[in-house]
């Protein structure tokens, strides 16, 4: 790989760790001090007709987008090759599935934002925090989807595109072993860098917005008995609410 | 769990649990809405829950609140029994709940309740001089825009809107032509409703976060505001639509059965302020292990009996032993033995559950109204209070017995008829006494009671003394007698934006200055102790200063040391000088 400059070092060697600290620290802080604010802040009570189309479209699309990122970033090329998946098959699948999921997600969020702007009560319930979050979320989606569409188009007409599995993915994996491969990311093309930066911004915002509800996906419900009994909480005098130990209700 | 305990009928007793339950005597409800208003002042006078009425009073026939909530084909509340005998929430089991989590398909919209509004009062005082008197026009509480008020929680109160609105009552739609709305034949009565605090709560079952729970000590169903994530499934799950989504905080809220009051032995605010004195509160002991089986009986008409069967007789020594085994103190069992709820529901069988067919095992029961029957009979030239005439009239009452049956017994008129006969018998029997005649045991035996029982029922229903209506034991584990179960009770709802907001908040001066005080039983007793004692009562928290000193005793550090060195004291001479740990009196 080529060398890299100080800006690259800052963006791809330092920034990810700063974001990680903000992300984890923010979640811990929010969980300790603002459990009451930890909610979906649903607006379904105000308007449900558009929500019932937009929200599942967005959320389900997003789940596929996340799954795509996990596969693309975490699984090295050598592993898929070992499984007998040829590069071209991998790329066609990734790009087509990614395109469909991305379009669903984007369509969903466009519908939701339109609803949020035009339906009076929903708009009144929108905070500045929400607006910032929507802006970053949409930018992350648009850069990602635009990139996918552009690369898919290029591949269709037989052109050559840069393989993120040689640049972005090794860099992403190297972050987690505390040995960031800055040069790999520095060699990535502009759109990749832009999308990665938007992703980092989104993760930095995550703990401080309504996005935190993603971390309370209630998977435990599947294995819980229906009726929850709970004793009154032992609640030490003078302790703040955040200090209270909450117990399992089942 | 050690040895098998059996009740008087020889049946093994499972896990004994206690439930604070309510009965309402509908004959006495005058529809004044005092309960609703005091409840609102106590719990929901905050933005976000303008439309939430933990207590509401509906005129029947009518659509109810929210509109047509009883139509479970539409709203999918409560449970359904599957062919294999298992109960599943009507809106779907766990997988379906999670699959529809991004947009609850059957959640009522605000239009099914009503859009909350306020008035533009500012115009009244700031309007420029003109020919027209300024008017405060309605403004939406959601958007601030001018709005046309077209519906609210009691739009069809007292049959307002006439047959057009009342015909949309789901029960009227079921009964069809049997319910008449012509002026001469129409009828109405009031149905005050709070959360049912069910034994088999569908809201708890549908909460994906596990934030809704039934308190094991007293059966009150609560939302843990710190754990609620606003998935809104409980709103659908509750067939009585008594869970409200706070649209400002994004959390579910519901009737708390005024637990901070109940814990210290006081009745709920709706009961306390009830003008007609028609509410009763007391403890019911029940067998928690039999609830699911009782809620799953095949025939809907059996649900009333099967629920009665789950209740345990607190005077049975075996039940007392089993309660002790399961950690319920004797004083709670004693209280349950005096419970007006047990008396009305199980001993006299005059109280009935609301919509048992939802299979949630509701615990707010109702004594059905007897209609203005005496005057009607008298006007036809009969003795309106003689027992045979009254009994004969029950099937032709103004309020069709079928309507009451749809409300209280899943459509089975038998139990309703028996209740009304008992209420009619009570009138006849007591009239004989009032007229100075012989007590007529035959009236009592006609309805399967004894004269003494009728008189006891009369005392409970007609005289309805405060102490007979509310038999509420204080929360257990807070005094020496049964310490150990609970150290302290915190108010989950008491924080910024929460339902308890404004309770014991931070105030700059006086007793509560400095730290916010938790709404606990200990603090309640400590405050009571300090306010009623002549001597200094140790507070146990921090030092006493001029601002929080209650004027009693000589707290440490408040006065210069006594010059003479004597320990004599002007207040309570034997009070300890150093604050003690604990602080409860």
């Amino acid at each position: 790989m080529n060398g890299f400059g100080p800006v690259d070092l800052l963006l791809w060697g330092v920034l990810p760790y700063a974001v990680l600290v903000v992300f984890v620290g923010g979640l811990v802080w929010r969980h300790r001090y603002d459990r009451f604010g930890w909610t979906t802040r649903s607006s379904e009570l105000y308007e449900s007709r558009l929500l019932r189309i937009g929200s599942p479209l967005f959320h389900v699309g997003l789940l596929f987008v996340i799954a795509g990122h996990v596969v693309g970033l975490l699984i090295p090329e050598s592993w898929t090759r070992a499984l007998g998946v040829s590069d071209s098959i991998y790329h066609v699948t990734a790009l087509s599935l990614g395109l469909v999921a991305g379009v669903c997600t984007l369509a969903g969020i466009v519908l939701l934002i339109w609803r949020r702007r035009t339906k009076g009560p929903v708009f009144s319930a929108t905070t500045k925090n929400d607006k910032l979050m929507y802006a970053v979320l949409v930018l992350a989606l648009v850069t990602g989807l635009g990139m996918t569409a552009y690369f898919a188009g290029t591949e269709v007409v037989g052109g050559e595109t840069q393989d993120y599995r040689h640049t972005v993915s090794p860099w992403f994996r190297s972050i987690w072993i505390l040995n960031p491969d800055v040069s790999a990311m520095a060699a990535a093309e502009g759109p990749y860098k832009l999308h990665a930066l938007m992703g980092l911004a989104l993760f930095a915002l995550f703990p401080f917005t309504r996005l935190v509800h993603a971390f309370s996906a209630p998977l435990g419900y599947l294995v819980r008995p229906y009726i929850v009994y709970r004793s009154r909480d032992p609640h030490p005098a003078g302790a703040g609410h955040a200090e209270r130990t909450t117990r399992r209700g089942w | 769990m050690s040895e098998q305990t059996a009740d008087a009928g020889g049946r093994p007793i499972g896990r004994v649990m206690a439930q604070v339950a309510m009965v309402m005597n509908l004959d006495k409800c005058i529809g004044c809405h005092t309960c609703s208003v005091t409840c609102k002042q106590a719990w929901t006078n905050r933005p976000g829950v303008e439309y939430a009425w933990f207590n509401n009073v509906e005129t029947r026939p009518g659509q109810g609140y929210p509109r047509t909530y009883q139509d479970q084909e539409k709203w999918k509340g409560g449970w359904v029994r599957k062919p294999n005998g298992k109960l599943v929430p009507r809106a779907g089991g766990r997988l379906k709940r999670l699959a529809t989590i991004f947009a609850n398909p059957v959640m009522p919209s605000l239009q099914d309740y009503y859009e909350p509004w306020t008035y533009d009062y500012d115009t009244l005082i700031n309007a420029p001089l003109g020919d027209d008197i300024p008017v405060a026009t309605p403004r939406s509480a959601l958007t601030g825009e001018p709005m046309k008020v077209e519906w609210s929680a009691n739009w069809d109160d007292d049959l307002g809107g006439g047959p057009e609105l009342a015909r949309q009552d789901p029960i009227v739609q079921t009964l069809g032509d049997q319910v008449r709305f012509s002026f001469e034949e129409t009828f109405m009565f009031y149905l005050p409703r709070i959360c049912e605090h069910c034994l088999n709560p569908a809201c708890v079952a549908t909460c994906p976060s596990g934030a809704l729970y039934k308190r094991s000590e007293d059966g009150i169903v609560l939302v843990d505001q710190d754990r609620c994530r606003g998935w809104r499934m409980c709103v659908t799950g509750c067939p009585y639509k008594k869970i409200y989504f706070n649209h400002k905080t994004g959390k579910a809220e519901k009737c708390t059965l005024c637990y901070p009051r109940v814990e210290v032995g006081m009745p709920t605010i709706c009961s306390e302020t009830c003008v007609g004195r028609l509410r009763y509160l007391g403890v019911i002991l029940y067998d928690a292990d039999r609830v699911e089986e009782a809620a799953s009986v095949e025939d809907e008409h059996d649900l009333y009996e099967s629920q009665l069967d789950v209740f345990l007789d607190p005077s049975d020594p075996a039940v007392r032993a089993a309660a002790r085994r399961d950690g319920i103190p004797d004083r709670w069992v004693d209280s349950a033995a005096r419970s007006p709820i047990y008396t009305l529901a199980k001993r006299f069988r005059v109280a009935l559950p609301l919509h048992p067919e939802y299979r949630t095992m509701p615990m707010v029961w109702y004594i059905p109204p007897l209609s203005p029957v005496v005057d009607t009979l008298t006007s036809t030239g009969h003795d309106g209070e003689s027992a045979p005439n009254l009994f004969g009239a029950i099937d032709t009452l103004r309020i069709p017995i079928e309507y009451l049956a749809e409300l209280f017994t899943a459509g089975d008129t038998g139990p309703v008829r028996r209740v009304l006969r008992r209420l009619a018998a009570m009138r006849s029997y007591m009239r004989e006494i009032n007229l100075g005649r012989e007590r007529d045991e035959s009236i009592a035996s006609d309805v399967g009671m004894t004269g003494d029982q009728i008189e006891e029922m009369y005392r409970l229903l007609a005289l309805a003394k405060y102490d007979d209506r509310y038999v509420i034991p204080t929360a257990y584990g807070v005094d020496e007698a049964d310490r150990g179960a609970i150290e302290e009770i915190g108010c989950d709802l008491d924080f910024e934006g929460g339902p308890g907001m404004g309770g014991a908040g931070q105030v700059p001066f006086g007793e509560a200055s400095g730290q916010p005080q938790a709404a606990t039983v200990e603090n309640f007793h400590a405050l009571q102790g300090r306010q009623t004692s002549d001597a200094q009562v140790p507070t146990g928290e921090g030092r006493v200063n001029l601002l929080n000193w209650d004027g009693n005793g000589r707290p440490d550090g408040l006065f210069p040391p006594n010059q003479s060195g004597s320990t004599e004291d002007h207040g309570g001479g034997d009070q300890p000088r150093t604050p003690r740990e604990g602080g409860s009196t």
Side-chain angles (χ1 to χ4, degrees), chain B residues 159 196 237 249 273 362 378 390 405 407 452 490 510 516 520-521 568:
Chain B
L159 293 182
E196 297 282 343
T249 64
T273 58
T378 311
L390 273 176
L407 273 182
D452 287 344
T520 66
V521 180
E568 206 179 325

Side-chain angles (χ1 to χ4, degrees), chain B residues 280 343-344 348-350 367 419 421-427 430 447 449 451-464:
Chain B
Y280 297 78
T343 305
L344 293 170
F348 296 155
R349 294 191 175 227
V350 288
I367 301 174
V419 171
R421 278 169 60 88
R422 287 192 165 182
L423 295 177
M426 185 176 79
R427 285 193 187 195
M430 292 312 296
V447 293
M449 296 176 86
D452 287 344
Q453 284 180 326
I454 291 229
E455 283 180 59
E456 188 186 346
M457 189 161 91
Y458 168 78
R459 275 193 300 278
L460 198 50
L461 292 185
L463 302 185

Side-chain angles (χ1 to χ4, degrees), chain A residues 94-157:
Chain A
L95 286 175
S96 52
L97 280 182
L99 210 55
V100 172
V103 166
C104 286
T105 314
L106 192 67
I109 200 162
V110 164
L111 186 63
L112 289 177
I113 290 177
W114 183 72
R115 161 182 178 273
R116 195 158 273 280
R117 182 65 195 84
T118 53
K119 304 294 166 189
V122 190
F123 187 53
S124 308
T126 309
T127 63
K128 284 189 181 125
N129 182 310
D130 290 339
K131 289 173 190 168
L132 175 68
M133 183 275 292
Y134 276 118
V136 175
L137 184 59
V138 168
L139 277 175
L141 279 175
V142 167
T143 51
L145 188 60
M147 211 165 66
T148 311
Y150 169 71
F151 289 146
T154 317
E155 299 260 332
V156 166
V157 298

Side-chain angles (χ1 to χ4, degrees), chain A residues 1-51:
Chain A
M1 292 288 167
N2 306 328
F4 52 85
V7 176
D8 284 323
L9 180 66
L10 267 184
L11 287 183
W12 316 119
V14 178
L15 189 63
Y17 293 102
V19 167
L20 201 61
V21 168
V22 171
F23 182 71
V24 174
L27 284 176
V28 170
W29 167 81
R30 184 100 188 247
H31 190 69
R32 284 178 64 99
Y33 295 103
D34 185 32
R35 230 170 285 175
F36 181 55
W38 194 300
T39 151
T40 57
R41 285 235 331 279
S42 162
S43 56
E44 187 172 5
L45 194 64
Y46 301 136
E47 198 282 338
S48 64
R49 206 173 49 88
L50 291 173
L51 183 91

Side-chain angles (χ1 to χ4, degrees), chain B residues 42-56:
Chain B
W43 291 103
T44 55
N45 57 350
R46 293 164 287 128
V49 279
E50 306 92 345
Y51 77 104
W53 293 90
F54 291 172
N55 182 109
N56 74 307

Side-chain angles (χ1 to χ4, degrees), chain A residues 36 44 46 55 221 224 244, chain B residues 94 102 104 205 207 232 247:
Chain A
F36 181 55
E44 187 172 5
Y46 301 136
S55 176
Y221 183 53
R224 189 197 87 190
R244 190 176 67 197
Chain B
R94 296 182 177 90
F102 301 129
N104 183 351
C207 172
R232 316 177 294 293
H247 57 87

Side-chain angles (χ1 to χ4, degrees), chain A residues 31 35-46 48 51-52 55-56 59-60 63 120-121 124-125 213 216-238 241 244 246-250, chain B residues 17 51 89 93-95 97-98 101-102 104-105 107-108 110 142-143 200-201 204-208 210 212-217 224-232 245 247 249-251 263 475-476 486 488-492 495-496:
Chain A
H31 190 69
R35 230 170 285 175
F36 181 55
W38 194 300
T39 151
T40 57
R41 285 235 331 279
S42 162
S43 56
E44 187 172 5
L45 194 64
Y46 301 136
S48 64
L51 183 91
R52 276 171 58 187
S55 176
H59 282 96
V60 174
L63 287 179
S124 308
H213 76 261
S216 36
L219 297 175
Y221 183 53
L222 290 174
V223 293
R224 189 197 87 190
Y226 272 130
I227 307 298
V228 176
Y229 295 100
R230 213 166 109 181
S231 251
R232 279 170 293 212
D233 293 311
H235 185 310
H241 271 266
R244 190 176 67 197
T246 43
R247 295 190 293 166
R248 286 178 73 84
W250 58 89
Chain B
M17 292 186 93
Y51 77 104
R94 296 182 177 90
L95 278 175
R97 296 287 83 211
L98 289 196
I101 203 160
F102 301 129
N104 183 351
M107 179 167 161
L110 212 44
L142 301 181
T143 59
N200 189 31
V204 172
T206 49
C207 172
L212 265 155
Y213 62 98
K214 191 167 179 64
R215 282 215 305 203
S216 6
E217 288 88 352
D224 182 339
Q225 294 283 306
D226 276 355
R227 290 180 67 169
C228 174
R229 299 286 173 255
W231 302 120
R232 316 177 294 293
F245 184 74
H247 57 87
T249 64
K251 306 251 169 170
E263 280 170 3
Y476 53 91
I486 296 131
E488 188 168 359
I489 298 142
C491 179
D492 279 345
F495 42 79
E496 192 62 31

